[in-house]
Amino acid sequence: MDRIWIALVERWEHRPRAPQRRSIRAPKGGGIVERHDMKLSTKDRESFRAVLESKRAELLRAHGQNIAAATELEEESLPDAMDVATRATGEGELLGLARQERELLAEIEMALSKLDAGTYGVSELSGRPIPIARLRAIPWARLTTEEEERRERQS
C-alpha cells in the first residue's frame, strides 16, 4: 500500500504545472486528502498585494488611534480611586490592542516582502504551496492549515 501511495505522490509532483485541485485517497483509510497545486498568477499577486496594503493602512490608522487614546491625559483630575482604576483598565486594554495590531502589522510586512521576493504563498515550514483559499482567508498566512494546527497543538 505504501508503494502505491509513494507512486501516486511522485506522479503528482512531476505532473505538468497547471492550477488545479484534486483529491486522492490517503493511505490506511485516512480519508480524502485535498492536494492543491498552485502557481500564483500576476493577477493573484496584485490582488493579494492590494489586500495586504489595504489591511496595513487600516491597521496603522487603528494603531495610531489606540495609542493616542491610551496615552491621552485627561485635563481634569480623577477624584475617585474607582475612576482611576477604570481608566487604567481601559488604557491597558487599548495598549493590548495596539500590541496585537503591531504583531499583525509585522506579519503583513513579512507577507509583502515575500511577494517582492517571489516566495509568497509558500509554507515557511515545509516549502509546500499554501492553498489559495487559505491565502484569501488569511493573506498573511505563513503555513498551511495542517502545519498551523499541528503547531498550535504542540504549544
Side-chain angles (χ1 to χ4, degrees):
M1 185 67 156
D2 288 337
R3 284 188 213 165
I4 294 170
W5 178 247
I6 291 170
L8 283 172
V9 169
E10 287 175 350
R11 261 192 249 140
W12 182 267
E13 292 175 347
H14 298 311
R15 74 192 184 292
R17 299 292 182 183
Q20 52 184 297
R21 185 176 179 183
R22 296 185 190 219
S23 297
I24 54 177
R25 184 143 317 265
K28 300 182 184 171
I32 300 293
V33 176
E34 290 293 323
R35 295 292 304 236
H36 300 270
D37 180 30
M38 56 159 265
K39 176 82 171 146
L40 292 176
S41 68
T42 302
K43 183 179 178 183
D44 288 332
R45 286 191 302 275
E46 290 171 0
S47 173
F48 285 122
R49 181 178 299 283
V51 168
L52 288 164
E53 288 176 348
S54 172
K55 185 67 172 174
R56 177 176 58 183
E58 175 188 329
L59 282 171
L60 285 171
R61 277 192 300 279
H63 180 71
Q65 291 170 351
N66 286 336
I67 292 292
T71 57
E72 184 178 274
L73 297 175
E74 286 189 24
E75 293 181 13
E76 63 184 79
S77 63
L78 299 173
D80 186 3
M82 191 60 126
D83 290 338
V84 171
T86 301
R87 178 170 169 77
T89 300
E91 287 175 353
E93 289 172 358
L94 288 172
L95 291 173
L97 281 173
R99 180 186 50 77
Q100 289 174 343
E101 290 161 349
R102 274 193 315 274
E103 290 170 0
L104 186 51
L105 278 168
E107 293 287 325
I108 290 171
E109 291 295 336
M110 173 70 79
L112 287 168
S113 68
K114 288 174 120 188
L115 268 168
D116 293 337
T119 59
Y120 180 77
V122 177
S123 169
E124 293 178 1
L125 189 61
S126 66
R128 290 181 17 217
I130 299 171
I132 290 180
R134 176 163 170 75
L135 292 173
R136 285 190 181 121
I138 306 170
W140 50 88
R142 296 166 61 182
L143 305 172
T144 65
T145 304
E146 297 83 16
E147 293 166 345
E148 186 71 38
E149 288 172 353
R150 195 175 322 120
R151 191 181 83 176
E152 287 175 4
R153 280 193 304 267
Q154 290 174 351
S155 59

